[in-house]
Amino acid sequence: MEHDGTRPGYGSVVPTDHELLTQVLEWLAPAGPQAMHLFYGRLFEAAPELRDLFPERIEMQEERLLSAIVHLFTLFDAGDDAMEQLNNELARFGRSHTRFDPPATLKEYAAVKTVLFGVLTEMLGDKLTPQHSAALVRCYEYAAGRMLAAQATVKLTDRDRRRRTV
């Protein structure tokens, strides 16, 4: 039976973003490392200027991103305490992006979103309903917005920044 956006036994109740993202995680789990490897390969093809921001051996970064995605999907829309924890972590992560000169940009966040959603769509195929896709968009845009806002609050000296080579 195809998923119609309702929860079994609850009639027309629409699942929460947290429930939809939890389901995406369940589907992604067996292929998570492969998805992250595919993501970085495609990201560097789409935005080669970003390659120099990452270590030559990308495996550890792939593991970090998968862990961050699991954490994000687990906390997003999971109640006030979870959202407070998520907001604190997103702010910390966003501030860490100010180490680059220039800091991470909206254009770079958009490139990541495009490539990540492309990989998720490819990996998960027909399992992703419009409701899942909408939850993914809301989650990503929330996270990116929080991180960019946190970046804007940081004032670093030139000595604190890692110069980009692009």
Side-chain angles (χ1 to χ4, degrees):
M1 183 170 154
E2 186 170 306
H3 180 68
D4 65 358
T6 62
R7 290 184 277 173
Y10 291 96
S12 64
V13 175
V14 177
T16 66
D17 285 348
H18 178 73
E19 292 168 326
L20 292 164
L21 295 170
T22 298
Q23 195 168 38
V24 169
L25 282 178
E26 290 170 7
W27 295 330
L28 185 61
Q34 177 187 357
M36 296 304 98
H37 185 73
L38 187 59
F39 165 77
Y40 278 107
R42 297 224 177 123
L43 180 65
F44 300 149
E45 286 174 12
E49 68 276 8
L50 298 181
R51 182 61 185 101
D52 289 336
L53 298 177
F54 296 92
E56 187 174 324
R57 293 187 46 106
I58 200 71
E59 294 83 6
M60 186 178 290
Q61 184 64 32
E62 292 170 353
E63 291 173 17
R64 281 189 210 139
L65 178 60
L66 182 57
S67 176
I69 288 171
V70 168
H71 203 62
L72 173 63
F73 288 8
T74 300
L75 293 176
F76 187 76
D77 193 37
D80 291 344
D81 290 343
M83 288 301 289
E84 182 177 347
Q85 179 184 349
L86 178 60
N87 289 338
N88 291 334
E89 292 177 17
L90 290 171
R92 182 176 42 79
F93 193 56
R95 287 188 302 268
S96 75
H97 281 85
T98 61
R99 294 173 302 155
F100 303 107
D101 188 17
T105 66
L106 185 57
K107 179 181 174 187
E108 292 165 348
Y109 279 93
V112 167
K113 177 183 173 185
T114 298
V115 174
L116 180 60
F117 283 34
V119 168
L120 290 175
T121 299
E122 180 179 328
M123 299 289 295
L124 302 178
D126 293 340
K127 292 178 183 177
L128 283 182
T129 66
Q131 292 88 357
H132 290 99
S133 296
L136 287 166
V137 167
R138 283 188 293 273
C139 181
Y140 184 86
E141 290 181 354
Y142 181 87
R146 287 286 180 155
M147 290 168 50
L148 283 164
Q151 278 180 220
T153 67
V154 176
K155 304 268 190 249
L156 295 179
T157 66
D158 287 339
R159 148 179 85 76
D160 294 328
R161 294 190 193 271
R162 186 174 93 190
R163 180 94 34 211
R164 290 188 183 198
T165 59
V166 293

